[in-house]
Amino acid sequence: MPKLTPKALDLLFMEARTRNGWRKKKVPTALLEEIWNIARMGPTSANCQPLRVVFVTSKEAKEKLAPALSGANREKSMKAPVTALFAHDLAFFELLPRLFPHDQSARSWFAGNEQTIAETAFRNGSLQAAYFMLAARAKGLDCGPMSGFNQDKVNEAFFPGGTHKVNFICNLGYGTDDDLFPRGPRLTFAEAARVE
């Protein structure tokens, strides 16, 4: 398989930054769908695909989101063209007969096992959200992922019904250098990993 160029790696990792400032430029829904169609190809266990996303773009939706955000996050999210609410579906296993067709018993691995459902949905939903952010960068958008919000308020406002649970949120758009923090240090291989 061919390797990515250094320029591509810069776009995805080495030069990419978490943005706090945003240009006043709309992000087309067609672009969000294009990014989704790339990100959905990333692997999940048993192809379970539990990620569910609400893209908050309208003034009304932003106003609905605002009370759930902490002060600094509220200000930058109100200015961002898009705020993605990355959630996971606790009923993901109901789709396994379609998504994992070569083993029609896959649904039974999860049904009734709340701990396994929660762990699988959270783990794989987190993976898919990361795939989405990398695909967004690859398609020219900047990302500003964050915690600092009230999960219960977000779930109540955007995911009523109880099977979808928000994990984290991420502003998307065309970033500026406004309020850009210096790049933080990263752990070395020796500090974070070992080979056995």
Side-chain angles (χ1 to χ4, degrees):
M1 176 175 279
K3 295 189 289 187
L4 291 177
T5 65
K7 187 175 181 179
L9 291 173
D10 284 347
L11 180 69
L12 295 177
F13 294 104
M14 307 308 287
E15 300 297 330
R17 301 297 306 279
T18 296
R19 298 292 172 175
N20 298 307
W22 302 96
R23 289 170 47 200
K24 291 183 179 179
K25 181 179 177 183
K26 286 191 173 187
V27 174
T29 299
L31 179 56
L32 296 174
E33 186 173 354
E34 185 180 354
I35 293 165
W36 172 264
N37 286 332
I38 296 167
R40 69 182 179 154
M41 302 310 290
T44 55
S45 62
N47 198 35
C48 63
Q49 301 177 54
L51 180 66
R52 304 295 180 265
V53 189
V54 171
F55 296 107
V56 177
T57 61
S58 70
K59 183 175 185 284
E60 296 76 20
K62 293 269 187 179
E63 288 172 355
K64 188 164 72 166
L65 177 62
L69 302 177
S70 65
N73 288 344
R74 183 181 305 119
E75 183 178 349
K76 58 191 172 185
S77 297
M78 294 306 103
K79 292 178 181 176
V82 180
T83 302
L85 310 178
F86 290 126
H88 47 273
D89 183 1
L90 296 174
F92 71 88
F93 58 93
E94 298 292 356
L95 297 176
L96 287 179
R98 177 163 65 95
L99 298 177
F100 201 62
H102 62 275
D103 190 337
Q104 288 296 302
S105 71
R107 182 188 175 281
S108 68
W109 306 342
F110 300 96
N113 190 336
E114 290 186 14
Q115 182 175 347
T116 301
I117 290 169
E119 289 175 357
T120 302
F122 179 75
R123 179 182 304 116
N124 289 278
S126 299
L127 273 174
Q128 286 189 281
Y131 299 149
F132 189 94
M133 289 190 298
L134 289 175
R137 285 177 169 177
K139 295 303 291 185
L141 293 183
D142 290 296
C143 301
M146 65 186 88
S147 297
F149 64 94
N150 184 304
Q151 288 181 300
D152 290 336
K153 286 183 178 180
V154 172
N155 287 333
E156 183 180 326
F158 292 93
F159 301 106
T163 62
H164 297 173
K165 301 295 181 188
V166 68
N167 181 351
F168 68 99
I169 63 179
C170 181
N171 290 324
L172 299 166
Y174 304 94
T176 71
D177 288 341
D178 297 344
D179 302 316
L180 188 64
F181 296 118
R183 184 183 283 280
R186 300 302 200 261
L187 295 177
T188 66
F189 183 87
E191 290 175 302
R194 67 176 187 265
V195 179
E196 294 188 356

